[in-house]
Amino acid sequence: MTKILAIETSCDETAAAVIEDGFRIHSNVVASQIDIHRRYGGIFPEVASRQHILAIGTVVQDALIEARTGWNDLDAVAVTYGPGLAGSLLVGVNAAKGIAMARELPLIGVNHLEGHLYSNWLDATDKNRPPRKKFPALCLIVSGGHTELVLIRNHGNYQILGRTRDDAAGEAFDKVARLMDVGYPGGPAIEEAAKGGNPAAHKFPRAKLGDSFDFSFSGLKTAVLRVVQKYTKVDKLHHPGNLNKDSAQLPLRTMPVADIAASFQMAVVDVLVSKTKAAADEYDVAEVLLAGGVSANTLLRNKMMAGIDRPVLVPPLSLCTDNAAMIGAAAYWRLQAGHTAGWDLDVIANLRLE
Ligand code: KG4
Ligand code: ZN
């Protein structure tokens, strides 16, 4: 039995978890900063690292209390060291180092993307053994910062088949939500706004990029902007001093928010599903896994399962967005392979998976 205390502070969630044998969740504490960053409409890096400093002590303590685990029961300390915001990562890495050094425990550095991938190992219905995974597997990691198609040949053996050339899928959701002023964070806000909308109302582009497994979402974002601009400029007409005489503009209240959101969401999902299916077929994978914040999207989960004739596995909703349980799961397999870090472990803001 191996108990790992895992810490995650790469972005805007301060998180700690106690994970046993890479799949049993004893605790999974997440202190979200969403309410703080909402007022900026996005993540403010300096504010994020300050909040991590304020929260980390309590979050780690809560994770241990919830898991009924004492310092002496731990076998290792794991922490995300990249990719992410340097100032945020530093807080987690220094906290983990301090704990590991004081308790004389092995320190394990985990790649945040590898963590997302391992959120699929936590979905254990059988509490006596980890969910069995078949290799090769294909994982689509879709988060606020990344869109990557990863071929997994075995634990720790990854090949990136494709990645985004511009915006990440989550970033596209966030930017379009801001354009349409539907809420923050953008993914869940667009999903909500799209309810009852017609996904075929607007013919938004789907970037094919030839035979490549790469993605591009910037053209789609611009296409949405063009539609939204037909309505938003007119708002100025109703504000004295901002008179805009462009007669081509339409009243803001007539903007078909649900149709635009639904058409945008469908365009993103179409591209993600078709590229994932093509890669799954070309590499004849045994299973397809989804991971990352955007994998919480219901349309994406459903279309992926309907469109791919191989087992498609999705993490539980609460484990799609950033958390430390997934870091503890990935760390277990790292520890099994003898990969521990030295005291010189440093943050790498642009760390890659391969
Ligand atoms: O994995 P994550 O929590 O953080 C990163 O590592 O980036 O992902 C956050 C991203 C945000 O862009 C958010 O808008 C998106 O995931 N997201 C969603 C949904 N829930 C979160 N996107 C689409 N539909 C959702 N339901
Ligand atoms: Zn993430």
Side-chain angles (χ1 to χ4, degrees):
M1 190 192 82
T2 304
K3 259 190 186 178
I4 295 179
L5 169 68
I7 295 175
E8 151 68 43
T9 62
S10 69
C11 195
D12 60 338
E13 324 276 9
T14 317
V18 176
I19 302 300
E20 186 187 323
D21 293 344
F23 74 100
R24 237 176 256 123
I25 304 177
H26 285 279
S27 65
N28 185 24
V29 178
V30 181
S32 172
Q33 303 177 5
I34 284 178
D35 288 339
I36 295 163
H37 297 288
R38 182 171 281 126
R39 73 186 77 145
Y40 307 108
I43 294 157
F44 206 109
E46 285 82 356
V47 174
S49 40
R50 223 182 100 78
Q51 278 306 121
H52 285 308
I53 292 171
L54 294 175
I56 188 78
T58 317
V59 167
V60 167
Q61 252 172 358
D62 285 356
L64 290 172
I65 292 168
E66 219 174 89
R68 295 171 203 274
T69 297
W71 296 111
N72 292 335
D73 304 325
L74 295 174
D75 298 292
V77 182
V79 65
T80 307
Y81 70 107
L85 302 168
S88 291
L89 289 162
L90 262 176
V91 179
V93 166
N94 283 322
K97 275 189 194 173
I99 295 167
M101 195 176 270
R103 308 306 310 184
E104 295 179 4
L105 292 169
L107 177 69
I108 308 162
V110 176
N111 181 314
H112 181 76
L113 297 175
E114 190 177 28
H116 271 304
L117 200 145
Y118 274 91
S119 58
N120 283 284
W121 269 256
L122 289 161
D123 189 14
T125 35
D126 181 349
K127 291 286 168 214
N128 295 316
R129 54 170 189 220
R132 244 178 269 158
K133 292 278 177 267
K134 298 191 187 90
F135 297 116
L138 178 72
C139 185
L140 173 71
I141 306 177
V142 267
S143 70
H146 293 88
T147 305
E148 321 235 338
L149 262 176
V150 187
L151 181 67
I152 313 167
R153 293 210 170 81
N154 212 326
H155 291 290
N157 183 345
Y158 313 116
Q159 182 186 345
I160 306 290
L161 303 180
R163 55 161 57 95
T164 183
R165 295 186 184 175
D166 38 59
D167 292 344
E171 196 179 356
F173 270 95
D174 293 337
K175 286 180 176 171
V176 165
R178 215 175 305 150
L179 280 180
M180 298 176 64
D181 205 13
V182 290
Y184 176 87
I190 292 277
E191 183 162 18
E192 187 60 32
K195 282 184 183 155
N198 174 9
H202 298 270
K203 299 272 171 288
F204 289 134
R206 277 93 165 134
K208 295 265 188 302
L209 307 176
D211 290 337
S212 138
F213 295 126
D214 281 351
F215 301 89
S216 166
F217 295 107
S218 70
L220 169 61
K221 181 189 62 190
T222 310
V224 177
L225 172 68
R226 268 193 228 110
V227 173
V228 172
Q229 273 178 337
K230 285 187 200 160
Y231 302 89
T232 48
K233 277 183 200 156
V234 82
D235 197 28
K236 293 178 183 162
L237 274 177
H238 305 305
H239 293 93
N242 255 339
L243 198 65
N244 185 336
K245 294 199 176 70
D246 185 347
S247 59
Q249 288 167 355
L250 305 161
L252 181 59
R253 65 188 147 69
T254 65
M255 181 159 88
V257 173
D259 284 353
I260 300 172
S263 303
F264 161 77
Q265 183 175 239
M266 188 58 87
V268 175
V269 167
D270 270 353
V271 172
L272 293 176
V273 173
S274 70
K275 295 254 172 184
T276 306
K277 179 176 167 31
D281 289 345
E282 184 163 327
Y283 289 87
D284 194 20
V285 298
E287 288 175 349
V288 172
L289 317 175
L290 298 190
V294 183
S295 67
N297 187 277
T298 308
L299 185 71
L300 177 64
R301 292 161 88 101
N302 292 344
K303 288 265 171 197
M304 207 59 95
M305 288 183 197
I308 295 180
D309 46 6
R310 297 164 199 269
V312 175
L313 307 169
V314 293
L317 277 180
S318 64
L319 299 176
C320 289
T321 45
D322 288 351
N323 62 83
M326 66 187 197
I327 303 302
Y332 173 77
W333 296 97
R334 288 254 147 233
L335 191 62
Q336 295 298 303
H339 293 168
T340 54
W343 299 124
D344 59 349
L345 177 72
D346 204 354
V347 307
I348 304 180
N350 58 358
L351 183 68
R352 293 200 163 211
L353 194 53
E354 282 171 311

